[in-house]
Amino acid sequence: MYHRFWSYLVYLYGVIAQTIWRCEEPAKMSAGGLNTAEYFGSWYFIAAAGESVSDVQMFKPMDNTLFDLQGANIPERLVLQGAIKVGNHCIKRNWVYYIHRYRDDMELEGRPLMKVYIFESDCKDCIIMMETQDVGEHQFKRMMLYARNATLSSEHIEHFQKKAACVGMKEFMVLPQEKEYCLIEPHS
């Protein structure tokens, strides 16, 4: 009896808290149901959020990052090329993502413990990705905001920060974007 009473009380508290604080979580999109071709092309890495400082630490040395997303010879496989500006150096990287038809997450080649989710953004030409790894030696949970343009309004960045905070990500950073972007070589 007391257990049931406390369960109802906690539920009621949650409903009231959501009504008062109006925290709106980002809407998750199912990777398996995406029309991936509409996401092909250039993307600028704008901001990142994480549950802890260590979740976003790897992004701190970056000034800017430009990505190019394309399909691959194999269906349901995406190739992401990145040109990362760290100091005065350009670091080139490639990632391969696998999309499974009936799964919400994408699989990153070589990282079987990591899950990658895609979320809608309030910005028409933006996308939010969340990387999580809750098993293994290096656990993390972080969200990244990407846009089709290098410049994004402060309102859109603020909106991303609020959405990330709604899922417990209080550590936040925006890439400075003060230096010239590195070029991405065309896919071969």
Side-chain angles (χ1 to χ4, degrees), residues 40-86:
F40 291 173
S42 297
W43 290 94
Y44 294 86
F45 181 21
I46 305 296
E51 290 183 335
S52 68
V53 174
S54 64
D55 292 345
V56 295
Q57 189 63 38
M58 69 181 292
F59 306 126
K60 300 257 181 195
M62 297 178 188
D63 178 75
N64 63 62
T65 302
L66 174 62
F67 292 104
D68 183 61
L69 181 65
Q70 296 298 324
N73 297 337
I74 301 169
E76 296 165 350
R77 185 172 126 177
L78 301 172
V79 177
L80 183 68
Q81 288 184 309
I84 305 163
K85 185 71 146 202
V86 176

Side-chain angles (χ1 to χ4, degrees), residues 7 24 32 42 49 108-109 118 164 171 186:
S7 296
E24 187 180 326
S42 297
L108 179 59
E109 187 174 80
I118 303 167
E171 293 299 324

Side-chain angles (χ1 to χ4, degrees), residues 3-17:
H3 179 68
R4 181 176 289 163
F5 170 75
W6 284 110
S7 296
Y8 288 126
L9 187 63
V10 169
Y11 172 76
L12 183 61
Y13 172 78
V15 169
I16 292 170

Side-chain angles (χ1 to χ4, degrees), residues 60-180:
K60 300 257 181 195
M62 297 178 188
D63 178 75
N64 63 62
T65 302
L66 174 62
F67 292 104
D68 183 61
L69 181 65
Q70 296 298 324
N73 297 337
I74 301 169
E76 296 165 350
R77 185 172 126 177
L78 301 172
V79 177
L80 183 68
Q81 288 184 309
I84 305 163
K85 185 71 146 202
V86 176
N88 291 321
H89 303 285
C90 291
I91 300 170
K92 308 287 176 122
R93 298 261 333 258
N94 291 313
W95 298 267
V96 175
Y97 289 92
Y98 295 94
I99 297 176
H100 303 283
R101 186 174 306 276
Y102 299 105
R103 284 179 38 186
D104 288 340
D105 66 310
M106 294 188 298
E107 180 185 342
L108 179 59
E109 187 174 80
R111 302 283 304 267
L113 299 177
M114 185 168 81
K115 297 197 179 298
V116 181
Y117 297 96
I118 303 167
F119 293 85
E120 293 177 2
S121 173
D122 70 318
C123 164
K124 180 177 140 315
D125 289 328
C126 299
I127 195 164
I128 298 171
M129 288 182 67
M130 181 170 70
E131 298 177 339
T132 63
Q133 184 168 309
D134 31 356
V135 294
E137 187 177 327
H138 302 288
Q139 297 181 16
F140 55 84
K141 183 177 181 181
R142 56 183 169 239
M143 291 183 115
M144 291 83 60
L145 174 64
Y146 301 94
R148 291 287 190 183
N149 297 306
T151 54
L152 198 59
S153 74
S154 58
E155 291 84 22
H156 290 305
I157 294 171
E158 220 172 87
H159 188 263
F160 166 70
Q161 185 174 11
K162 287 178 183 175
K163 294 256 187 192
C166 282
V167 293
M169 298 185 192
K170 306 290 187 209
E171 293 299 324
F172 179 76
M173 64 163 288
V174 176
L175 273 69
Q177 300 179 343
E178 296 168 345
K179 299 181 181 187
E180 188 175 326

